[in-house]
């Protein structure tokens, strides 16, 4: 008898207290852990209230807000079709308007006593991920307890509570996406199957009991299997692409039934549980079908069909086992036969239904096959996991402990005849989610639960082996051993990297705040949907119910707003306008080629080929990240994305990288642009506001270098002789004239003219049909040399443009310029364009900016209330001959708003006259110095 046992015998009250603690310790511990999880997730909630409004984090949360509002207005129905996105087609939202939105809407209705305000709905959605993320701990505890006892369950919750990975980030307040609901309902589904197969193993149901209607013997197996099927169906209801779980269960039943037969145990019991579970899933999923096709992105025939396939597979394998048992086949003939049948079935599918075979193989490879398309690589959550170190950063040594637990359970399945089926299920689940996580890092938020459960298993079994029981007394070495194990798992989560509390600190981020200013401007200063060109109220009901259809017929005056797909939901919900592209990645086939189109004609043709006859894309919204080529911190530019969606081009066609030494021993990536970048529509809009851009005496310089491993790269110049006044190793060099800059490039093969900031290598022509009409007040880089005009987001309007006709000197270049002011940033810019006169001195050009008449055409008339307005008339300059002398010519004209928007067909006219130059104390019509184009413009 241990010393502690004797001490307890002498102190019965202490012994009673210890027994109570041993029985109930998990309750207060779990309450503390759950309280910490909830607090940690909601600690920053006030950061999301900006000027009294709720701003969510990310993109998808905003569409969930829209979907939830619809459910609130039409409870419990979800939105069948939405014409407020994916212009000019509309969309069925598939993964949105699901159980997640219905749950949030129901809570909002309860909180709002049946009539919640918009603020109540927003606040409910704001806190939803934190609550659901905390609830994930409950099935995690139950799974951990089933495998490792109560201590195993508590350990599992402890690991989950202090992990800093994707589950925490996806369940923070404000990140109101369906991700955390996926994690919760998947865990419930796995838990349900664990219980169902365990009950089946206990009660051993067989086919004859169904024939005899032995309800008492079958009740538990049927009940738990139905509950498991409902839980799985609810998971698929939250996220239709969750058919991955059906595949995991299919593999589990395949392996488990084979192992049971090999171990001389009837597979029939587990197969019955599997068949009932899958049948229930199929029935419930079939009730939610919205499209009669096979697709993973919507509630389709795929979900119930795959469930039926797994269920029938269980039935077939049970029948086959009986058949082989009666004929006394060898133990290994059964699995060999099963896998042979599967192989033949796969071959037949590939031959007879190649499209179906391609569908399954493509989706398997993109989910667990370490395969990613170029376009999917532009989506942050769909990118592959960087390396295994990410998992250690998030879960610490729990990753190793979980791996040990998984290997232990896997070995037990093959070496033991009585290994529980639920243990194999957890191993298969963890393995497939691990493969999915390395293929697409989004699945990392699923991985938190299996890592926690397997860690709980190891700790629970470890303590059990030490026989830690109050009945036998407690030795100090036992206590120290248990504490050591827990510390090894938990302490690294606090001691290294980001602590859980630090990871719980969050906010809406600068992007939505930068965009929101311009989107609110758009809502107030552009015509309502259906009122473009006519004025009046919107003709498109914002929360209307529309029948599901392939191609929505937009009416006269309804219009689209083109931007990159990341920002589509913001445009829908904050501006209440219809985006062409959205985060469903719909519309990328229009947005991507438009943004990188190399001339205005090409860009216009792209829109014209997509737009309807009576509904057009009227606005383009771009932010600085769309024009930024550096995708690394702190820039996180997005220019790299559109080329991935366009055949025949790649990001390297537009920019290159330099690697320079940063402070300390790190290396910093710097990008410099090629001429093709400056020719793209997104660059011409954001950087130049549609104006022409001239090359500047700027040179980007580099040196070809080599790493220790022999890899070639471009680095900062270090060895060549520096021009006078230039610093050693300078990448960007500024010269006094273009002649000097070109001469330097001719002498240095590792340099290029332009490519930095707003400096192209060659002239970029002006755009004639796009004008800046509004922007955000926030500037991304107020004082950056790379961005002269860095308003976070800029709104451009596509207009017919005004025709200007004029006369001047024959066969010469005419330049037009007008100074514009953006009141949002209080900065001015000059729109410039040029054209050529004919042999008679006549010229014509189309300009997108007006100089007067703004008050005549606003939202009441169905047009834009333009904020960016002219401070001058259009000024025209040219250099020609006058009386045989080279002379400057100038002229001015006004362009009305009506002319620009096409309501006034009148042509603006201008006649260029010779410049009078002041020469000391006298005025002359001739210049004594040779007249240049620059002097003529300066004279104007």
């Amino acid at each position: 008898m241990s010393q502690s046992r004797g001490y307890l015998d002498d102190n019965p009250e202490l012994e009673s207290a210890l027994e109570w603690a041993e029985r109930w310790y998990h309750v207060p511990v779990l309450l503390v852990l759950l309280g910490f999880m909830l607090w940690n997730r909601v600690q920053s909630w006030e950061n999301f209230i900006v000027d009294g409004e709720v701003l969510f984090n990310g993109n998808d949360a905003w569409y969930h807000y829209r979907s939830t509002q619809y459910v609130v207005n039409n409870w419990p129905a979800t939105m069948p079709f939405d014409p407020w996105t994916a212009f000019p087609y509309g969309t069925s939202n598939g993964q949105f308007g699901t159980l997640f939105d219905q749950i949030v809407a129901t809570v909002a209705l309860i909180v709002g006593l049946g009539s919640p305000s918009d603020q109540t709905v927003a606040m409910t959605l704001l806190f939803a991920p934190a609550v659901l993320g905390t609830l994930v701990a409950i099935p995690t505890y139950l799974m951990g307890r089933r495998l490792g006892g109560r201590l195993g369950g508590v350990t599992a919750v402890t690991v989950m509570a202090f992990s800093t990975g994707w589950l925490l980030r996806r369940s923070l307040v404000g990140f109101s996406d369906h991700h955390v609901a996926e994690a919760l309902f998947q865990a419930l589904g796995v838990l349900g199957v664990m219980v169902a197969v365990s009950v089946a193993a206990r009660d051993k149901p067989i086919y004859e009991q169904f024939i005899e209607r032995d309800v008492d013997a079958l009740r538990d197996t049927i009940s738990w299997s139905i509950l498991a099927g409902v839980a799985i169906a609810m998971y698929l209801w939250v996220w239709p692409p969750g058919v991955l779980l059906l595949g995991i269960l299919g593999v589990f039943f395949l392996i488990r039934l084979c192992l049971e037969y090999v171990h001389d145990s009837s597979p029939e019991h587990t197969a019955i549980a599997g068949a009932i579970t899958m049948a229930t899933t199929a029935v419930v999923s079939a009730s939610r079908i919205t499209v009669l096709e096979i697709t993973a992105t919507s509630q389709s025939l795929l979900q119930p069909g795959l469930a039926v396939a797994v269920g029938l597979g269980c039935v077939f394998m049970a029948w086959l086992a009986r058949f082989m048992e009666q004929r006394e086949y060898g133990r290994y003939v059964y699995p060999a036969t099963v896998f042979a049948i599967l192989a033949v079935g796969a071959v037949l599918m590939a031959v007879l239904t190649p499209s179906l075979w391609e569908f399954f193989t493509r989706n398997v490879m993109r989910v667990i096959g370490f395969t990613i398309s170029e376009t999917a690589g532009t989506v942050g959550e769909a990118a592959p996991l960087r390396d295994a170190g990410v998992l250690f950063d998030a879960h610490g040594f729990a990753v190793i402990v979980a791996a040990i637990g998984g290997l232990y359970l896997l070995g037990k399945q093959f070496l033991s005849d009585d290994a529980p089926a639920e243990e194999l299920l957890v191993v298969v689940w963890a393995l497939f989610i691990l493969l999915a996580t390395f293929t697409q890092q989004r699945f990392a938020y699923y991985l938190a639960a299996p890592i926690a459960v397997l860690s709980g298993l190891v700790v629970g079994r470890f303590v059990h082996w030490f026989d830690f029981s109050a009945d036998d007394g407690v030795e100090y070495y036992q206590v120290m051993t248990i504490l050591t194990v827990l510390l090894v798992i938990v302490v690294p989560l606090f001691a290294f990297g980001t602590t859980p509390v630090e990871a719980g600190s969050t906010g809406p981020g600068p992007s939505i705040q930068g965009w929101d200013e311009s989107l609110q401007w758009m809502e107030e200063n552009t015509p309502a949907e259906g009122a473009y060109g006519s004025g009046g109220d919107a003709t498109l009901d914002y929360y209307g119910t529309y029948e599901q259809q392939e191609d929505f017929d937009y009416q006269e005056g309804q219009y689209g707003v083109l931007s990159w797909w990341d920002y589509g939901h913001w445009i829908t919900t904050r501006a209440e306008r219809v985006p062409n592209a959205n985060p469903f990645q719909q519309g990328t086939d229009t947005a991507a080629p438009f943004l990188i189109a190399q001339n205005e004609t090409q860009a216009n043709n792209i829109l014209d080929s997509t737009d309807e006859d009576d509904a057009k894309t009227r606005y383009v919204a771009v932010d600085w990240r769309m024009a930024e080529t550096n995708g690394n911190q702190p820039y996180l530019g997005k220019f790299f994305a559109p080329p991935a969606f366009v055949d025949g081009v790649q990001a390297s066609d537009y920019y290159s990288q330099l690697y320079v030494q940063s402070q300390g021993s790190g290396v910093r990536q710097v990008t410099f642009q090629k001429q093709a970048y400056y020719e793209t529509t997104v660059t011409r809009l954001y950087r130049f506001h549609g104006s022409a851009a001239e090359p500047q005496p700027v040179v980007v310089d580099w040196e070809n270098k080599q790493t220790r491993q022999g890899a070639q790269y471009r680095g900062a110049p270090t060895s060549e002789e520096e021009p006078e006044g230039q610093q050693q190793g300078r990448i960007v060099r500024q010269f006094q004239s273009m002649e000097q800059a070109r001469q330097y490039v001719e002498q240095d093969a590792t340099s290029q003219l332009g490519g930095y900031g707003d400096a192209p290598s060659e002239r970029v022509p002006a755009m004639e049909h796009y004008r800046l009409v509004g922007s955000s007040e926030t500037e991304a880089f107020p004082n950056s040399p790379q961005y002269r005009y860095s308003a976070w987001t800029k709104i451009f309007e596509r207009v017919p443009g005004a025709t200007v006709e004029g006369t001047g000197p024959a066969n010469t270049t005419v330049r037009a310029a007008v100074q514009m002011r953006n009141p949002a940033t209080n900065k001015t810019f000059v729109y410039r364009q040029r054209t050529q006169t004919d042999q008679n001195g006549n010229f014509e050009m189309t300009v997108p900016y007006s100089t007067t008449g703004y008050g005549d055409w606003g939202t009441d008339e169905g047009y834009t209330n333009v904020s960016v307005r002219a401070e001058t008339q259009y000024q025209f300059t040219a250099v020609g001959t006058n009386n045989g002398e080279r002379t400057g010519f100038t002229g001015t004209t006004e362009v009305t708003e009506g002319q620009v928007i096409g309501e006034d067909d009148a042509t603006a006219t201008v006649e260029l006259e010779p410049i009078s130059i002041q020469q000391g104390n006298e005025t002359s019509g001739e210049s004594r110095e040779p007249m240049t184009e620059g002097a003529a413009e300066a004279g104007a």
Side-chain angles (χ1 to χ4, degrees), residues 7-194:
Y7 182 75
L8 292 174
D9 289 340
D10 296 335
N11 295 271
E13 293 181 357
L14 179 60
E15 181 179 10
S16 176
L18 186 60
E19 290 176 351
W20 184 92
E22 184 183 17
R23 181 177 302 175
W24 298 105
Y25 77 93
H26 61 290
V27 175
V29 172
L30 287 174
L31 289 176
V32 169
L33 290 172
L34 291 174
F36 170 76
M37 290 179 67
L38 182 59
W39 169 84
N40 196 34
R41 284 160 169 75
V42 304
Q43 59 171 306
S44 302
W45 73 271
E46 292 179 325
N47 294 342
F48 293 89
I49 311 300
V50 180
D51 296 331
E53 288 192 275
V54 176
L55 295 183
F56 300 103
N57 187 3
N59 304 317
D60 290 346
W62 290 96
Y63 200 81
H64 275 296
Y65 173 69
R66 171 167 170 75
S67 299
T68 301
Q69 279 280 22
Y70 181 90
V71 177
V72 167
N73 297 338
N74 301 273
W75 193 90
T78 58
M79 190 184 301
F81 184 84
D82 190 3
W84 280 85
T85 189
F87 181 87
Y89 307 106
T91 187
S92 297
N93 38 44
Q95 302 176 42
F96 292 74
T98 61
L99 182 60
F100 171 72
D101 306 283
Q102 291 172 309
I103 291 173
V104 177
T106 302
V107 174
L109 284 166
I110 294 172
V111 174
L113 301 178
S115 182
S117 64
D118 292 348
Q119 185 76 358
T120 299
V121 175
M123 291 295 290
T124 304
L125 184 60
L126 182 74
F127 283 92
V131 175
L132 294 174
T134 303
L135 292 177
V136 176
I138 295 177
T140 300
Y141 167 77
L142 294 174
M143 285 187 283
R145 189 182 69 175
R146 293 187 65 84
L147 299 186
R150 282 180 299 170
L151 182 59
V154 171
T155 302
V157 176
T158 302
V159 170
M160 178 168 286
F162 297 130
S163 293
T164 60
W166 276 59
L167 180 63
L168 173 61
R169 281 178 273 167
R170 289 297 186 264
S171 60
L172 292 176
V173 64
F175 199 94
S176 303
D177 206 342
H178 51 259
H179 296 169
V180 65
E182 295 173 39
L184 172 61
F185 284 98
Q186 187 187 81
L188 287 171
V190 173
L191 173 63
V193 177
M194 290 175 67

Side-chain angles (χ1 to χ4, degrees), residues 721-741:
E721 182 179 349
E722 299 295 327
E724 184 177 355
Q726 299 287 348
Q727 298 178 8
Q728 175 76 21
R730 191 175 181 86
I731 296 175
V732 179
R733 305 180 187 278
Q734 182 77 42
F735 293 87
Q736 296 298 316
S737 67
M738 289 298 299
E739 183 181 359
Q740 291 178 341

Side-chain angles (χ1 to χ4, degrees), residues 545-617:
T545 299
Y546 301 89
E547 293 183 1
Q548 190 168 345
Q549 52 198 289
E550 291 293 329
D551 188 354
F552 185 79
D553 183 17
Y554 289 89
Q555 303 302 308
E556 184 76 31
Q558 296 170 355
Y559 59 89
V561 178
L562 188 140
S563 187
W564 190 230
W565 64 259
D566 294 39
Y567 309 115
H569 294 339
W570 295 352
I571 294 171
T572 297
T573 56
R574 300 304 292 170
E576 295 192 9
R577 299 295 182 264
V578 186
N580 293 59
N582 56 41
F584 307 141
Q585 289 200 354
Q586 296 166 333
T588 54
D589 54 345
T590 298
F594 174 86
L595 292 172
I596 63 173
Q598 291 290 287
N599 58 70
E600 189 174 8
T601 299
Q602 181 184 2
N604 289 337
N605 289 340
I606 291 168
L607 295 184
D608 293 339
S609 65
T610 304
D611 290 346
E612 298 179 357
D613 293 337
D614 51 0
K616 307 289 186 181
T617 299

